[in-house]
Amino acid sequence: MSDCSSDEGSEEWIPYKDRPDWSDIQPIAQNDGPFPVVAIAYPDKYRDVYDYFRGVFVIGEKSERVLRLCTDASILNPANYTVWQYRRVVLKSLGCDLRDELQFIGDVIEQNPKNYQVWHHRRVIIEWLDDGSTELAFTKKLLDLDAKNYHAWQHRQWVLTKYKLFDGELDYIDELLTRDIRNNSAWNHRYFVINTGKQGFTPDVLSQEIKYVANAIQNATKNESAWNYLRGILLFHEQGLNHPDVIAFCEQLYKDDSRSPHLLAFLADRAVELVEKDIDREKNLQVAVKLYRDLAEEYDKMRAPYWNYLIEGLQKFNSHSKF
């Protein structure tokens, strides 16, 4: 097996143009055309590395020195897709130890946690290894630093699905929500895990989740993430927002004067849903309009134009009613 080490080493930097072992490569300067509008003033090191990268790319050289060149290029610009793509070509050609590459790309991701290209490279390496056993721990490490890192969540969900690693994932989500009940990413992930994993939103699971989210809402009534989750899971119930247990819970909140904008909007939308099903049409139209007015005039003045727009829509829908 070839020595595919990605270590830059601790020696003082020597430009490629001054390295005797690179004298056989013709560097190729970046061509921005004859009249570049805004030419980028690249640092000398950057220009040197990428001139030589273009030089080896054109002739298709696949060697250990090219791999080290790719390391320099990727560290200077981790978002360069061509560098990562060619690096993969070289890795495969040399038969490198992919576990070493996994360590390397892990270090790069920790320095660039929201860079699409580095996450894509890691995914490809995992696919080549056909082993996702390291990825839950790796993404957890990144999510501990930033619990809303979209790329880490996307990678985690891909691994869970591809390698069927859903067991125990709800426990991890509970840990995140205990830490931050307003973590919208964790709520989204909970929905994904139940809907995509083995369980699905069966009647029993739905009943459990309603209790779970109701408890979360009681602890933070203005937490929009939990309310959105509640709306999402009720799509799996034949009565929609009119689930009897949910309505009883919401009406109790209303009576207890825990009137967050999300509660009022939920009750209003539930009334509109009943209107659309032609259930107690006049009564529910009036309920919806009153709640939207309460939102516009007291509980959510910032979005008053939106709530008034919904009222106008209801009035047009039932032009013969008096409000």
Side-chain angles (χ1 to χ4, degrees):
M1 182 176 290
S2 299
D3 179 10
C4 299
S5 174
S6 297
D7 188 4
E8 287 184 291
S10 58
E11 296 181 1
E12 184 179 351
W13 171 260
I14 300 174
Y16 280 84
K17 65 183 179 63
D18 296 332
R19 301 184 188 188
D21 56 332
W22 282 86
S23 61
D24 59 314
I25 298 298
Q26 179 61 47
I28 299 175
Q30 179 168 310
N31 184 359
D32 291 326
F35 305 107
V37 177
V38 182
I40 299 175
Y42 294 107
D44 291 341
K45 181 177 179 179
Y46 187 100
R47 191 181 300 278
D48 176 66
V49 168
Y50 272 89
D51 285 357
Y52 275 84
F53 174 76
R54 282 184 286 269
V56 297
F57 182 83
V58 166
I59 63 175
E61 180 180 330
K62 304 172 188 67
S63 63
E64 292 170 13
R65 70 172 184 174
V66 169
L67 187 63
R68 290 190 288 272
L69 174 63
C70 287
T71 296
D72 290 336
S74 65
I75 290 174
L76 286 169
N77 182 7
N80 190 308
Y81 176 84
T82 304
V83 170
W84 290 111
Q85 174 61 27
Y86 197 65
R87 182 182 182 87
R88 290 191 286 273
V89 172
V90 175
L91 286 168
K92 185 164 285 190
S93 176
L94 296 179
C96 295
D97 186 339
L98 296 179
R99 294 292 174 184
D100 290 341
E101 184 66 11
L102 204 59
Q103 179 62 51
F104 168 70
I105 190 58
D107 293 341
V108 175
I109 287 175
E110 288 186 37
Q111 297 300 316
N112 305 271
K114 296 187 177 181
N115 181 310
Y116 170 79
Q117 305 302 346
V118 297
W119 282 102
H120 176 70
H121 184 70
R122 188 174 182 94
R123 176 184 291 202
V124 174
I125 300 304
I126 292 298
E127 287 179 325
W128 286 357
L129 287 167
D130 195 24
D131 179 9
S133 61
T134 59
E135 299 311 278
L136 295 187
F138 179 73
T139 51
K140 181 181 183 302
K141 182 179 180 181
L142 272 294
L143 291 169
D144 283 344
L145 298 174
D146 179 0
K148 299 181 181 181
N149 183 334
Y150 169 79
H151 300 284
W153 280 117
Q154 185 182 51
H155 187 78
R156 190 178 184 93
Q157 291 184 353
W158 169 75
V159 170
L160 287 169
T161 304
K162 183 173 180 62
Y163 297 103
K164 306 295 185 287
L165 301 175
F166 288 98
D167 290 347
E169 190 66 4
L170 285 179
D171 293 334
Y172 173 60
I173 298 169
D174 287 341
E175 176 187 328
L176 290 176
L177 290 176
T178 298
R179 194 182 309 164
D180 179 10
I181 197 67
R182 293 174 175 81
N183 186 339
N184 186 62
S185 297
W187 283 107
N188 175 73
H189 190 57
R190 187 177 190 89
Y191 183 94
F192 169 83
V193 168
I194 295 175
N195 193 37
T196 310
K198 298 177 183 178
Q199 293 177 300
F201 284 100
T202 63
D204 287 344
V205 170
L206 184 60
S207 179
Q208 293 171 5
E209 288 304 295
I210 287 173
K211 292 177 182 177
Y212 183 92
V213 70
N215 182 64
I217 288 173
Q218 272 190 319
N219 291 329
T221 57
K222 295 182 180 180
N223 177 13
E224 186 174 6
S225 299
W227 282 103
N228 286 341
Y229 182 78
L230 177 61
R231 285 174 177 266
I233 65 176
L234 289 178
L235 293 173
F236 294 91
H237 192 269
E238 59 183 8
Q239 291 179 272
L241 300 184
N242 200 42
H243 188 291
D245 293 342
V246 174
I247 294 308
F249 168 72
C250 290
E251 288 179 344
Q252 188 60 52
L253 284 179
Y254 190 88
K255 290 177 183 177
D256 293 342
D257 206 25
S258 299
R259 299 179 188 179
S260 72
H262 312 300
L263 169 65
L264 270 61
F266 184 94
L267 290 172
D269 292 346
R270 173 254 186 171
V272 171
E273 195 174 87
L274 292 174
V275 169
E276 292 172 346
K277 294 178 180 178
D278 205 24
I279 299 175
D280 290 335
R281 185 167 177 270
E282 294 295 328
K283 173 186 174 183
N284 283 303
L285 273 168
Q286 293 183 32
V287 168
V289 169
K290 179 184 183 304
L291 289 167
Y292 286 148
R293 278 184 176 154
D294 287 345
L295 283 161
E297 295 172 4
E298 182 177 357
Y299 293 96
D300 193 13
K301 295 179 182 179
M302 182 70 70
R303 293 194 295 168
Y306 171 70
W307 302 120
N308 288 327
Y309 169 79
L310 294 182
I311 291 172
E312 291 174 8
L314 287 174
Q315 290 173 332
K316 291 177 182 177
F317 179 77
N318 195 54
S319 57
H320 300 295
S321 296
K322 295 181 181 179
F323 300 104

